[in-house]
């Protein structure tokens, strides 16, 4: 069981309370968390990512803290890029008595639809300080072409 500090919230109903659609969501979330607590709190690993392009390539940067490069698998099939990873629990996890456990363990899969065609055979993956950087060169047809504008008189 995790120890969670909760802010003191007034539970009484006041006649001058502000109301709005977001306050209903806040009340609902508070009610669900207070009643179900640990059962609904996700402990799923989701690696945040940035996907952007330059003139020559499509680049994915993904934060995968706690993983080693051998725990990652990257594949490109058609216009789908898939990154799989496995965060293993500590070797002595059974002997530990946790007061708080928020670091997720387990596997994750993220699939991205690539907006342009890339040359997967020329893709390069780098891993540094918990950041996976995948550089995928665009095929020649997908690269931006500059068209000169002529002045007509």
């Amino acid at each position: 069981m995790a120890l969670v500090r909760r802010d003191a919230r007034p539970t009484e109903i006041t006649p001058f309370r502000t109301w709005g659609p977001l306050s209903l969501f806040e009340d609902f979330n508070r009610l669900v968390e207070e009643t179900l607590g640990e059962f609904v709190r996700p402990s799923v690993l989701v690696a945040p990512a940035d996907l952007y392009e330059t003139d020559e390539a499509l680049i994915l940067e993904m934060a995968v803290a706690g993983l080693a490069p051998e725990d990652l698998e990257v594949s490109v099939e058609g216009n789908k890029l898939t990154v799989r990873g496995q965060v293993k629990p500590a070797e002595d996890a059974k002997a530990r008595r946790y007061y708080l456990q928020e670091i997720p363990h387990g596997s994750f899969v993220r699939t991205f639809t690539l907006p342009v065609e890339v040359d997967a055979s020329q893709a390069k993956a780098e891993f540094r300080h918990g950041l996976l950087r995948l550089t995928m060169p665009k095929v020649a047809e997908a690269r931006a072409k500059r068209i000169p504008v002529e002045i007509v008189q």
Side-chain angles (χ1 to χ4, degrees), residues 12-88:
E12 71 274 357
I13 297 175
T14 60
F16 302 108
R17 182 170 175 197
T18 58
W19 182 88
L22 292 179
S23 66
L24 286 176
F25 286 121
E26 290 170 359
D27 288 344
F28 177 75
N29 287 338
R30 179 184 53 79
L31 179 64
V32 168
E33 181 153 332
E34 287 177 0
T35 55
L36 299 177
E38 294 295 318
F39 298 109
V40 295
R41 192 169 294 120
S43 62
V44 177
L45 174 67
V46 178
D50 290 339
L51 180 63
Y52 59 94
E53 70 176 305
T54 63
D55 290 339
E56 294 81 29
L58 199 61
I59 298 170
L60 173 83
E61 292 180 339
M62 180 178 280
V64 288
L67 272 78
E70 55 270 9
D71 296 331
L72 293 168
E73 178 187 319
V74 180
S75 62
V76 176
E77 187 176 330
N79 69 337
K80 302 286 186 194
L81 166 67
T82 302
V83 179
R84 299 175 193 278
Q86 173 77 27
V87 178
K88 298 172 185 149

Side-chain angles (χ1 to χ4, degrees), residues 53 55 116-118 138-145:
E53 70 176 305
D55 290 339
V116 296
E117 192 175 346
V118 298
K138 297 178 187 176
V139 295
E141 296 81 34
R143 293 186 182 179
K145 296 172 185 67

